[in-house]
Amino acid sequence: MNTTLTAIDLSNNRLGDLGAKFIADVLNVNTTLKSITMRLNKIGDAGVSVIAEALKVNNTLKKIDFYSNNIGGDGAAQIAEALKVNMTLTGLILGSNAIGDAGAKNLADMLKVNTTLT
């Protein structure tokens, strides 16, 4: 396992939900990665849900960027649940997704509990 990489940009690589699962597998065990950018990768609710599960146990990642994927309200709810537990992530980018009103409410509720996002 890599023990030196601290940032990676995987933008515009068509990762999709399957690729997101592979990223989640890495986040479950990685102890050095601090920033991951996954813009424009067609990651949907299923993919972001497995990453959200990994965020519950990962305690090194500081920033995650999901700009312009296919994340909807269910995916936003999964991220919100994970960030009620994860207290190391300081930056989250979800711009240009379709989280909708319900997803926004879940994220807002999470912010009442999470004290590390800036």
Side-chain angles (χ1 to χ4, degrees):
M1 174 187 332
N2 184 295
T3 58
T4 57
L5 186 69
T6 60
I8 191 166
D9 185 340
L10 297 170
S11 295
N12 205 17
N13 276 295
R14 300 181 198 169
L15 295 177
D17 291 337
L18 183 59
K21 186 211 176 298
F22 297 135
I23 298 301
D25 291 345
V26 170
L27 292 178
N28 278 318
V29 296
N30 187 281
T31 58
T32 58
L33 194 62
K34 304 234 182 276
S35 175
I36 187 165
T37 302
M38 294 182 285
R39 293 175 168 229
L40 300 157
N41 271 300
K42 301 183 181 188
I43 298 170
D45 290 344
V48 83
S49 291
V50 293
I51 291 175
E53 285 301 310
L55 290 176
K56 290 179 181 178
V57 297
N58 181 288
N59 60 8
T60 56
L61 198 65
K62 300 286 185 193
K63 178 186 170 220
I64 193 162
D65 183 342
F66 288 115
Y67 180 85
S68 194
N69 278 281
N70 296 328
I71 301 168
D74 291 341
Q78 294 298 317
I79 292 170
E81 284 305 307
L83 295 184
K84 287 179 181 176
V85 176
N86 179 302
M87 294 295 162
T88 55
L89 199 73
T90 58
L92 171 66
I93 298 174
L94 288 170
S96 289
N97 282 284
I99 65 171
D101 293 341
K105 180 176 181 341
N106 284 311
L107 290 167
D109 289 344
M110 172 270 299
L111 290 172
K112 295 174 186 173
V113 177
N114 183 293
T115 58
T116 57
L117 284 175
T118 56

